[in-house]
Amino acid sequence: MSNHDDKKQDILAAYNFRHATKVFNPTKKISDEDFTFILETGRLSPSSVGYEPWKFLVVQNKEFREKLREVSWGAQGQLPTASHFVIILARTDVRYDSEYVQQLQKHVKQMPDDLLETLKPRYRSFQEEDQRLFESDRALFDWASKQTYIALGNMMTAAAQIGIDSCPIEGFSYDKVNEILEKEGLLEDGKLAVSAMVAFGYREEDPVRPKTRRAMEDVVEWIN
């Protein structure tokens, strides 16, 4: 078997290894080096038109985790036991003409001013007409939130490839989590809001049943 085939088998093995871990072994901690690697796969993830509309809050404080646990029914087992717990925030200010987008394009992507002016109408048309993102503030936020799930998936897959368990979490009160974060000054005066959560660590025990998924022919249709 070639190195190419070996790599494919390793990647598929990681996908089969990964499961939504409900309770972690609280005595086993992820090393700083390994968790930095996981975060880096999130940071390097792609996003629509390259806006990177995310921020990752790594919540290690026990008291803070307990506040979150009171309003997060889907994280009751994970918050007390996970080695690392991440709140993924999505940006609310991702209009094509916002200060955030302009600064990102100018200083991070290093686009010259003339290119920025040329691209503005294209990005406006994309957001307003193609994606219809200006119909409500929630539409624009949900578009940003969709991008964060790319980073979420990449971080979980990368973790699985080095033997680290994870669990994505949506089971929480959106309003109450945002309220907690706002009180701590973590939302940049409303420019960020919670998108999803994810716990990382090492499983307490193996899942009781094997992974199940629909058959390939049920999820894939080829148009030749």
Side-chain angles (χ1 to χ4, degrees), residues 195-214:
S195 175
M197 302 175 178
V198 56
F200 294 97
Y202 296 94
R203 65 188 65 181
E204 182 77 296
E205 54 188 37
D206 289 327
V208 295
R209 64 191 186 102
K211 186 185 294 289
T212 58
R213 291 293 188 271
R214 290 187 291 152

Side-chain angles (χ1 to χ4, degrees), residues 148-160:
T148 72
Y149 277 64
I150 302 173
L152 170 65
N154 286 345
M155 288 192 291
M156 290 193 299
T157 299

Side-chain angles (χ1 to χ4, degrees), residues 33-104:
E33 180 184 352
D34 283 350
F35 199 70
T36 297
F37 160 75
I38 292 169
L39 290 172
E40 184 70 348
T41 66
R43 187 183 74 89
L44 292 174
S45 294
S47 57
S48 184
V49 292
Y51 281 0
E52 304 175 41
W54 47 57
K55 186 172 186 178
F56 310 118
L57 297 179
V58 185
V59 183
Q60 301 302 84
N61 181 278
K62 289 183 178 180
E63 289 76 16
F64 199 96
R65 284 196 189 188
E66 186 55 36
K67 286 182 184 178
L68 292 172
R69 189 167 180 250
E70 291 173 3
V71 296
S72 304
W73 59 266
Q76 294 298 294
Q78 296 92 336
L79 274 163
T81 62
S83 170
H84 289 66
F85 193 88
V86 181
I87 300 174
I88 302 179
L89 305 178
R91 299 203 68 90
T92 62
D93 58 345
V94 285
R95 273 185 61 111
Y96 72 98
D97 55 354
S98 71
E99 181 182 0
Y100 167 76
V101 169
Q102 296 301 300
Q103 292 298 311
L104 176 79

